[in-house]
Amino acid sequence: MALTPKNNQIPADKAAIRQAAEHDVLLREVDEAVRQDQMADIGRKYGKPILAIIVVALLAFGGWLWWDSHQESKLEANSEELVKALDNLKADNLAAADGHLKPLAQDGSNGMKAAAIMLEGGMALQQNKPKEAAKLFDSIAADKNMPETYRNLATIRSVSATFDDMEPQKVIDRLKPLAVPGEPWFGSAAELVGMAYLAQGKNDLAGPLFASVAKDENAPQGLRSRTRQLAGLLGYDAVDDVDKTLQQLRVEGGDVPAPGAAAAAQ
């Protein structure tokens, strides 16, 4: 009867297992050596280009951080200058205000530049220089790099500054694209277009336009009140809610309802 080892494996099996383990270790070592050799080969062939890419990436990232910090610092400085200009305008110190605005109008970002030029135009109007103001406003309106909101506002301010010297049709041509319900500057543009229609004797076009502005809840109350009265005088109803309109008139200090409101109340 043959004796069986306690681990139930004969010496030949143990030798085979050990040999297989040694073979596996050898394969792993060979595989690791091959990988190291491949990495060394890659390093020799592509090490410098890879290092150059890493350096360029780090430099670019550092440059971006510097640029971002510089832009933020510049924006903060420009904002401070704009605030100083506004403070001087409130104090009616136009010369000092202009000193703060000039650099912004020449070297500020598009939005900051537009704001500075708009304020310069307002100062020109305050000094009774409408043509100079219009020239400043037109420089914004014609600049495609400026934000559209500023360009449209500048167009309205330019026309408003020189309205008395403009042909009514020119006013209409410039502002009619903005005098459309839903446009941000609808109220202001439509009022000027309506006045141009009146100058042409086209009451049938002016009246409905004034009524539309009066009913526009996004328009300033002062503008709505003016256009409501104009629409009423032209025979157009500009009141949707009589009670609400009467209350607004009381708040504005009016003792007598506007013609349009009175007609609607009857």
Side-chain angles (χ1 to χ4, degrees):
M1 182 176 181
L3 295 176
T4 302
K6 292 181 180 181
N7 58 6
N8 297 324
Q9 291 181 337
I10 61 175
D13 292 335
K14 288 183 177 181
I17 292 173
R18 185 171 59 254
Q19 186 177 10
E22 291 174 352
H23 181 69
D24 186 55
V25 170
L26 179 61
L27 287 177
R28 285 200 299 269
E29 290 178 351
V30 170
D31 186 52
E32 181 65 26
V34 170
R35 281 201 296 268
Q36 290 179 359
D37 187 61
Q38 289 175 337
M39 292 300 297
D41 188 53
I42 291 174
R44 286 191 295 271
K45 290 183 178 179
Y46 307 109
K48 290 183 179 180
I50 291 174
L51 181 61
I53 291 172
I54 293 173
V55 171
V56 170
L58 290 174
L59 289 174
F61 181 65
W64 178 84
L65 289 176
W66 176 86
W67 179 85
D68 185 61
S69 176
H70 176 71
Q71 289 297 108
E72 186 173 349
S73 298
K74 185 177 180 180
L75 180 61
E76 290 178 358
N78 287 345
S79 298
E80 290 177 2
E81 288 298 301
L82 186 61
V83 170
K84 290 177 182 178
L86 291 171
D87 288 341
N88 280 287
L89 284 174
K90 290 180 181 178
D92 204 27
N93 191 345
L94 301 186
D98 187 59
H100 291 292
L101 292 175
K102 279 281 191 268
L104 298 180
Q106 295 174 357
D107 193 37
S109 63
N110 286 334
M112 192 68 69
K113 183 177 180 180
I117 296 175
M118 290 294 294
L119 288 173
E120 287 186 324
M123 289 168 53
L125 287 176
Q126 191 172 343
Q127 295 173 315
N128 197 28
K129 300 176 180 178
K131 291 184 178 180
E132 181 179 325
K135 185 177 180 180
L136 289 167
F137 295 140
D138 286 339
S139 70
I140 298 176
D143 190 343
K144 301 297 183 180
N145 293 320
M146 291 294 182
E148 185 178 10
T149 299
Y150 277 115
R151 289 170 55 203
N152 292 341
L153 176 59
T155 299
I156 294 171
R157 293 296 304 275
S158 175
V159 172
S160 178
T162 56
F163 182 86
D164 292 337
D165 297 325
M166 292 181 67
E167 293 291 331
Q169 190 58 47
K170 288 185 178 180
V171 173
I172 296 168
D173 292 341
R174 286 199 70 182
L175 296 184
K176 195 172 182 180
L178 304 178
V180 178
E183 287 291 324
W185 302 109
F186 163 63
S188 299
E191 182 184 30
L192 291 170
V193 172
M195 296 301 294
Y197 281 142
L198 285 180
Q200 291 180 328
K202 298 177 180 179
N203 294 1
D204 58 325
L205 296 178
L209 196 55
F210 289 139
S212 295
V213 177
K215 294 177 182 180
D216 184 3
E217 295 186 355
N218 294 320
Q221 285 301 326
L223 177 59
R224 294 181 67 187
S225 180
R226 289 197 306 273
T227 52
R228 184 186 304 117
Q229 294 183 44
L230 287 169
L233 288 172
L234 294 172
Y236 289 87
D237 181 15
V239 178
D240 286 328
D241 188 328
V242 176
D243 293 335
K244 184 177 179 180
T245 301
L246 290 175
Q247 180 62 31
Q248 288 175 350
L249 290 171
R250 294 189 188 98
V251 171
E252 293 168 7
D255 296 328
V256 180
Q266 292 178 352

